[in-house]
Amino acid sequence: MIPHLKLITKQILSPSVLLKEDKKANQYVIIDHPQVNAAFALHGGHLIHFKVNKQQPLIWTSPIAIYNDQKAIRGGVPICWPWFGIASSDLGKNLPSHGFARISKWSIADINEQITGVILTLILNANHETKKIWPFDFKLTLKATLTDRLKLELITENTGKIPFTYQGALHSYINISNVSNIKVMGLNQKSFNKLTDDFNTKKGNLLIEQAIDSIYEKAPDTIILKDLDFKRNININNTGNNAEVVWNPWIDGAQECVDMHDDGYQTMICIESAVLAPRGQLVEPSSRHIFSTKLLGTSLT
Ligand code: TA6
């Protein structure tokens, strides 16, 4: 799956699910099921591979991604939480971009293997380290349903006594044949272009012909990514979110990333299910909020 990691098996968790470790003792859950192959790094609770049997991988991960316990992995589905982008200045200085969930160590809560695939549940609880930078009690759960489709649900529970507001994203890097062969249909017409600081209202399909970093108001219905060379549509359904973020760094952006080849931008596009400012999401004590993304590849022939 990720050959250069040279993983060693530590434990059989269920018939198709192994716990493996790399030479730096970072742990991975590897799923090799007749219907689906997938891999998660427990660092970040980060999906780094997803492929349905007889299909192209649905998720892109950089072949030169850096795997250590400090940095977010380039590609897959980073979990941005409890903020998105740069942290608000009230929280402090030098805080990690896109929150701390993607650079924290998660634990396995449950594995449910079935004929159709595997449901894996990972958790991250508030702890001494998280409290230093975000003073709230929480339980964050990622429920990953890995079948002929990929469904990721992120459940934020407030386990403390004071309300909090969070932002987040399931920052999916989708694997495409080439950025010039795709179009994205079904996004909301209203968006904010972070590269030019402009609000836009635009009808029609999105073609990627230059760098894009845009926040779309939540799509009214299914988003469809049509990939002509892979001869597939990817249907994307998001729930509980208030926005979708579309990102492709193009060549200049890829060159700035140490963990991405210069031409890496050609075979990925991020279409993210996100909960963003200005509202974010308020979670009262003893309450929870869920947002999700579901990706289903269907053949065009
Ligand atoms: O989701 C888009 C974005 O926030 C971009 O602004 C871009 O920087 C990207 O995420 C990647 O961020 P990262 O911190 O993972 O390098």
Side-chain angles (χ1 to χ4, degrees):
M1 256 169 225
I2 318 262
H4 67 273
L5 281 177
K6 298 197 174 69
L7 301 178
I8 291 168
T9 300
K10 298 301 280 184
Q11 203 183 334
I12 299 171
L13 299 170
S14 88
S16 305
V17 185
L18 299 176
L19 180 69
K20 295 197 178 194
E21 208 169 87
D22 67 17
K23 54 181 187 301
K24 295 177 199 150
N26 297 311
Q27 294 190 319
Y28 300 82
V29 179
I30 306 295
I31 293 143
D32 190 4
H33 183 279
Q35 301 298 334
V36 62
N37 291 101
F40 285 82
L42 290 185
H43 169 66
H46 194 138
L47 176 70
I48 53 174
H49 177 73
F50 181 85
K51 182 183 180 308
V52 176
N53 192 16
K54 300 196 181 112
Q55 291 185 17
Q56 294 286 347
L58 213 51
I59 290 296
W60 178 95
T61 298
S62 172
I64 54 167
I66 297 166
Y67 295 85
N68 63 29
D69 58 2
Q70 308 289 319
K71 207 180 147 34
I73 299 161
R74 176 70 58 204
V77 185
I79 297 173
C80 305
W81 190 96
W83 57 84
F84 184 81
I86 296 166
S88 118
S89 54
D90 343 329
L91 288 171
K93 285 186 182 157
N94 302 324
L95 293 175
S97 165
H98 286 324
F100 53 78
R102 66 179 187 160
I103 50 168
S104 296
K105 182 154 189 246
W106 291 56
S107 322
I108 301 167
D110 190 48
I111 294 166
N112 175 353
E113 178 160 351
Q114 300 169 355
I115 294 173
T116 51
V118 172
I119 301 173
L120 171 69
T121 307
L122 302 179
I123 50 167
L124 173 68
N125 284 309
N127 57 52
H128 185 61
E129 290 303 310
T130 66
K131 287 266 186 88
K132 280 190 210 158
I133 51 176
W134 202 62
F136 301 103
D137 284 306
F138 66 85
K139 178 179 177 188
L140 190 59
T141 304
L142 178 73
K143 183 176 172 198
T145 305
L146 313 157
T147 57
D148 64 339
R149 63 206 68 192
L150 169 66
K151 184 170 183 194
L152 297 173
E153 294 162 274
L154 191 67
I155 304 155
T156 298
E157 285 178 71
N158 184 338
T159 54
K161 292 193 168 44
I162 29 177
F164 62 69
T165 298
Y166 82 93
Q167 294 177 49
L170 291 160
H171 195 304
S172 314
Y173 286 70
I174 300 175
N175 182 42
I176 53 176
S177 60
N178 193 288
V179 74
S180 57
N181 292 331
I182 62 155
K183 67 179 167 191
V184 184
M185 302 176 284
L187 288 164
N188 199 300
Q189 293 176 15
K190 289 188 181 164
S191 66
F192 174 70
N193 185 334
K194 283 169 66 182
L195 302 174
T196 57
D197 256 352
D198 284 330
F199 288 95
N200 295 309
T201 303
K202 198 169 160 230
K203 286 190 184 162
N205 303 328
L206 174 68
L207 302 175
I208 311 292
E209 291 161 327
Q210 57 188 340
I212 178 167
D213 191 354
S214 290
I215 298 172
Y216 287 80
E217 284 188 17
K218 183 177 165 50
D221 206 346
T222 304
I223 298 166
I224 300 173
L225 191 166
K226 186 180 278 292
D227 187 328
L228 295 175
D229 239 36
F230 279 170
K231 297 189 174 50
R232 77 171 170 192
N233 279 349
I234 298 175
N235 293 353
I236 304 167
N237 285 95
N238 298 331
T239 65
N241 60 321
N242 63 18
E244 273 90 22
V245 180
V246 178
W247 181 59
N248 182 293
W250 214 249
I251 186 155
D252 289 351
Q255 281 170 346
E256 281 168 20
C257 293
V258 289
D259 47 6
M260 186 168 184
H261 286 308
D262 291 355
D263 61 358
Y265 75 96
Q266 291 181 354
T267 51
M268 53 71 60
I269 181 164
C270 291
I271 303 180
E272 309 163 32
S273 175
V275 173
L276 298 187
R279 293 196 304 283
Q281 178 66 47
L282 174 70
V283 188
E284 297 284 357
S286 307
S287 299
R288 62 187 203 160
H289 177 258
I290 307 177
F291 76 99
S292 73
T293 190
K294 188 169 74 184
L295 274 65
L296 169 66
T298 59
S299 172
L300 283 175
T301 49

